[in-house]
Amino acid sequence: MAVGKNKRLSKRKGTKKKLVDPFTKKEWYDVKAPSMFTVRDVGKTLVTRTTGTKIAADALKGRVYECALADLNADENAFRKFKLVCEDVQGRYCYTNFHGMDLTRDKLCSLVRKWQTLIEAYVDVKTTDGYWLRLFCIGFTKKVQKQIKKTAYAKSSQIRAIRAKMCEVMTKEVATEDLKSLVQKLIPDSIGKDIEKTCQDVYPLHDVHIRKVKVLKKPKFDAHKLMDLHGEMGGTTDENGEIVATSAEFVEPTIQEEV
């Protein structure tokens, strides 16, 4: 028999791979919300620490966090959800930007009732700072004062007119604002109230909301703009991960006598 051909001898029994707890290789990072919100600390996120060519910051960038507005603004408005995407990592902090908005399923279900017309519209708009957004609006017809008739159905011509006015108001409100100003409008849902007032002469509406906002396209990433959004200066961090304000002038480092 040729040497090295005996397969039985080459197999060793009982050699099991040593199990290592994966959490020993992980690190915790703090997630920071933009300055539009009252509560800036969203929570913590977990990532495998930097090993070789696999950098922890690259794994964190692009992560999307969904938070209720009640947690971000410390109020009772729990049915509106905001999506925040991690765009930059500095020290142990993940700096996020607005990525979308949505209403909870139970809120949408509670709005839909019998004997009324549901009207929906959507529009694609570009903000002044280069973000392409798609806004979805929802509204319902309501009875006029002292109405005896049980139903409050709108005609198809009225629905078309209301839908056109919805698109017009959404375009006007978004096209003249940057992303920060738009988020400040979405928090109290002032656009929905404007639509309700505008459509009053066509058919009275109630429960008008911006149902969803999607970010379709983003401009090129700018670290300075993100820091402005977070109300921070510069992008330099100290050894603890805290952001340090840097002056515009370059300072020559001192020459060391010994290394």
Side-chain angles (χ1 to χ4, degrees):
M1 189 181 76
V3 179
K5 291 287 181 183
N6 194 343
K7 291 178 182 178
R8 289 181 200 171
L9 295 172
S10 63
K11 286 182 182 177
R12 291 183 181 180
K13 290 181 181 179
T15 55
K16 286 184 179 179
K17 194 177 179 182
K18 193 179 178 182
L19 292 171
V20 182
D21 185 18
F23 275 82
T24 56
K25 298 177 183 178
K26 304 283 181 184
E27 286 179 329
W28 288 99
Y29 282 75
D30 287 322
V31 182
K32 291 278 183 184
S35 58
M36 294 92 78
F37 303 104
T38 311
V39 180
R40 301 291 302 282
D41 294 317
V42 175
K44 291 183 180 288
T45 188
L46 202 61
V47 71
T48 308
R49 66 167 62 93
T50 305
T51 49
T53 55
K54 289 184 179 180
I55 300 161
D58 293 342
L60 288 166
K61 283 174 189 176
R63 285 191 184 181
V64 179
Y65 307 95
E66 195 174 71
C67 318
L69 185 60
D71 296 329
L72 290 169
N73 266 20
D75 59 12
E76 297 299 315
N77 196 348
F79 62 82
R80 194 169 277 111
K81 300 180 290 181
F82 278 85
K83 284 181 182 176
L84 303 171
V85 63
C86 176
E87 287 196 346
D88 197 18
V89 179
Q90 292 186 4
R92 285 296 182 93
Y93 295 102
C94 298
Y95 288 93
T96 60
N97 198 357
F98 175 78
H99 191 63
M101 192 209 77
D102 203 357
L103 293 184
T104 56
R105 168 85 180 178
D106 62 307
K107 176 65 178 178
L108 284 170
C109 291
S110 69
L111 297 173
V112 180
R113 298 192 197 100
K114 290 196 291 183
W115 322 122
Q116 62 182 10
T117 305
L118 184 152
I119 303 162
E120 281 188 299
Y122 76 91
V123 70
D124 293 352
V125 201
K126 190 180 183 181
T127 60
T128 53
D129 51 351
Y131 285 85
W132 273 101
L133 304 174
R134 183 171 289 163
L135 280 81
F136 296 82
C137 180
I138 192 169
F140 302 88
T141 56
K142 69 171 182 180
K143 287 182 182 180
V144 290
Q145 229 174 358
K146 297 178 182 178
Q147 183 178 323
I148 300 164
K149 192 180 176 183
K150 186 181 181 181
T151 59
Y153 296 132
K155 295 176 188 176
S156 58
S157 59
Q158 289 172 323
I159 292 167
R160 281 197 301 274
I162 289 167
R163 199 174 283 127
K165 288 202 173 192
M166 280 178 170
C167 293
E168 187 189 324
V169 172
M170 285 191 287
T171 307
K172 188 180 77 177
E173 291 287 328
V174 178
T176 56
E177 302 285 354
D178 61 349
L179 191 71
K180 187 177 181 178
S181 305
L182 177 64
V183 173
Q184 285 168 345
K185 283 184 177 182
L186 291 172
I187 290 167
D189 201 10
S190 61
I191 300 170
K193 288 163 189 169
D194 290 343
I195 292 166
E196 199 173 318
K197 284 177 190 173
T198 312
C199 298
Q200 201 71 27
D201 56 340
V202 181
Y203 204 104
L205 299 178
H206 73 114
D207 289 332
V208 181
H209 297 286
I210 299 297
R211 181 175 66 81
K212 188 188 275 189
V213 179
K214 284 183 182 178
V215 178
L216 303 177
K217 270 186 185 179
K218 289 182 179 182
K220 197 176 178 182
F221 173 69
D222 188 352
H224 293 291
K225 280 185 180 178
L226 185 69
M227 288 301 114
D228 288 342
L229 197 67
H230 281 264
E232 309 275 4
M233 285 290 292
T236 310
T237 54
D238 61 8
E239 63 275 1
N240 299 323
E242 298 291 334
I243 290 182
V244 181
T246 55
S247 61
E249 293 179 8
F250 174 73
V251 181
E252 189 76 31
T254 53
I255 300 165
Q256 294 179 350
E257 292 178 3
E258 293 181 5
V259 179

